[in-house]
């Protein structure tokens, strides 16, 4: 889970940087960097959604295995 946490932090920083970069490039009138920032932002948001789905699936599997272990101990 540590690697997912670190990846989440890196994705958050990258998303924040791209939002800032997009705002600054829009204000300066540099549309090429604006479009590149938007494209990369879409990709990073997609990766973050995929990461959240993976973490949710792993958490559910871990919770399910914990319940199974507790049920075996009671028997």
């Amino acid at each position: 889970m540590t690697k997912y946490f670190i990846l989440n932090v890196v994705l958050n920083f990258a998303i924040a940087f791209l939002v800032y970069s997009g705002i600054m490039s829009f204000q300066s009138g540099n549309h090429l960097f604006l479009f590149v920032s938007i494209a990369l932002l879409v990709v990073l948001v997609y990766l973050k959604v995929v990461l959240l789905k993976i973490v949710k699936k792993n958490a559910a599997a871990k919770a399910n295995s914990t319940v199974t272990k507790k049920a075996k101990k009671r028997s």
Side-chain angles (χ1 to χ4, degrees), residues 18-39:
L18 283 174
V19 168
Y20 179 74
S21 173
I23 291 170
M24 290 296 114
S25 62
F26 178 75
Q27 289 177 350
S28 68
N30 194 347
H31 295 293
L32 176 66
F33 286 122
L34 176 63
F35 295 137
V36 169
S37 294
I38 291 172

